[in-house]
Amino acid sequence: MSKGSGMGKLFITAGLVILLGVFISEQGFAANVFSWNTKTVDIEKTVKAEGIRSVNIDGGRTDVKVVRGHSEAIEIRLDGRVKRDAADNIQLQADPRRDTLELKVEIPERFPFGMSFSDLNLTVELPEQVWENVKVQTVSGDVDIEELKGTNIDVHANSGDVTANDIEAGQVTLQAGSGNIESNAFRAKNLTFHVGSGDVSLSGGQAIIKGETSSGNIDVAVNELDQDMDLKAGSGDVTVKTANEPKSLTVQYNGGSGSGNIEWDNVTYKEKGEDGRTLKGVFGSGTTQLKVRTGSGNFTLGQD
């Protein structure tokens, strides 16, 4: 092979790699390069809230924000930019079905060369009331919910972050396939979370908490540790902090290759492995239960 031929193939390969990177990046360089060929989307809808008790939101590949509104109706807005040849095909469906409002964003699946370059935001403002069910799901997009009350609040982001602040419900379920979960000032009977790859941060809330991450850290901060917790991290650390020393708590920890540590003084150890991979400690009568398991990661119970 001649030197010139080899260099030519090298340049061709490098060019293909660059083009591939441009085509598959929807939010980065490609979005900027092709922004000249995008069109603004701005769709607004208003739905009477009378008789509506539940809301199901399918955001698809949009970022979704659900907040408490300031009117008696449900206000919905879809805005952002998409490829010009797709803008006219974007649909915002808002269908009341008995006592449930079904919301869905329809985006054409494929464009030339498989490019979509969509940057859309769906905002839903709900009147202040106790909703029966609020369910939000996205395929590729973040979910942010704020100042909501409901019997059940269920959020699932396949690829994206989940933020839930100042929410109140009987059952709160937060799921992220690939993304972080953050919740502050939550009040619930039960809060359940599951993350495939990402971190979890819960603070300033009250609930019986149960959840796990396959790969990621779990951080929980509360004023009083007086409700049960069951936490599991496959690969990541678990840290639980409380402003006040527990009064009646049993701590059980089992680790694969990590170790556990309790930073409070007034704990009685019923079991404590020399390698730190297992421990059982009791504060007071040990009524509240804190169970922690890690595969590859450490556990700390400390002061906030």
Side-chain angles (χ1 to χ4, degrees):
M1 179 186 297
S2 67
K3 183 176 179 180
S5 176
M7 289 298 293
K9 289 185 177 181
L10 179 61
F11 283 124
I12 292 173
T13 302
L16 290 173
V17 170
I18 292 172
L19 285 173
L20 180 62
V22 169
F23 288 152
I24 65 176
S25 174
E26 294 188 5
Q27 303 300 328
F29 178 69
N32 294 324
V33 169
F34 290 93
S35 61
W36 59 271
N37 196 30
T38 62
K39 184 177 180 180
T40 298
V41 172
D42 195 345
I43 304 173
E44 295 185 0
K45 291 191 176 184
T46 299
V47 178
K48 292 182 179 180
E50 184 179 359
I52 301 296
R53 299 282 298 161
S54 300
V55 180
N56 291 338
I57 302 171
D58 184 351
R61 299 197 303 273
T62 67
D63 292 334
V64 178
K65 186 171 186 177
V66 186
V67 298
R68 184 182 66 187
H70 301 286
S71 72
E72 296 182 355
I74 300 173
E75 304 289 347
I76 310 157
R77 180 176 183 180
L78 178 67
D79 66 308
R81 302 187 69 86
V82 296
K83 287 280 289 181
R84 184 174 298 276
D85 56 1
D88 294 337
N89 295 320
I90 300 294
Q91 296 183 31
L92 174 58
Q93 300 177 358
D95 301 320
R97 299 179 183 176
R98 296 185 179 179
D99 64 348
T100 301
L101 176 62
E102 301 283 351
L103 293 178
K104 187 174 184 178
V105 178
E106 291 280 3
I107 303 175
E109 286 298 322
R110 297 188 65 84
F111 303 102
F113 306 106
M115 299 179 292
S116 60
F117 306 121
S118 62
D119 183 14
L120 294 173
N121 302 284
L122 175 65
T123 302
V124 182
E125 297 184 9
L126 299 177
E128 184 175 4
Q129 68 179 59
V130 179
W131 296 89
E132 186 68 26
N133 295 287
V134 176
K135 184 176 182 180
V136 184
Q137 62 179 352
T138 62
V139 174
S140 176
D142 299 333
V143 179
D144 184 1
I145 60 175
E146 296 179 6
E147 297 184 304
L148 291 184
K149 295 182 179 180
T151 303
N152 295 289
I153 295 177
D154 188 342
V155 179
H156 185 186
N158 187 52
S159 177
D161 297 332
V162 173
T163 304
N165 295 328
D166 196 10
I167 59 174
E168 184 175 343
Q171 173 68 47
V172 174
T173 303
L174 307 175
Q175 300 181 73
S178 176
N180 301 319
I181 289 177
E182 180 179 349
S183 185
N184 302 305
F186 56 88
R187 294 170 296 281
K189 181 178 180 180
N190 295 284
L191 186 150
T192 304
F193 67 83
H194 185 277
V195 175
S197 176
D199 298 328
V200 176
S201 176
L202 308 176
S203 63
Q206 296 180 343
I208 296 172
I209 299 174
K210 182 176 183 179
E212 65 177 298
T213 64
S214 296
S215 175
N217 301 321
I218 300 174
D219 292 286
V220 181
V222 294
N223 289 325
E224 300 285 347
L225 216 171
D226 55 3
Q227 297 195 67
D228 295 346
M229 293 187 192
D230 188 344
L231 309 174
K232 181 180 180 181
S235 175
D237 298 331
V238 176
T239 303
V240 179
K241 292 186 176 182
T242 177
N244 302 304
E245 186 174 71
K247 298 177 182 179
S248 180
L249 175 70
T250 297
V251 184
Q252 297 185 65
Y253 168 70
N254 287 280
S257 61
S259 61
N261 180 41
I262 299 177
E263 297 179 347
W264 293 97
D265 295 329
N266 296 321
V267 57
T268 300
Y269 287 99
K270 302 296 184 180
E271 178 184 349
K272 189 175 184 181
E274 293 183 0
D275 56 5
R277 295 182 182 179
T278 61
L279 68 79
K280 182 177 181 180
V282 178
F283 294 83
S285 59
T287 304
T288 304
Q289 300 291 313
L290 171 59
K291 298 180 180 179
V292 177
R293 289 154 290 169
T294 63
S296 174
N298 301 318
F299 161 62
T300 301
L301 172 61
Q303 183 173 6
D304 188 14

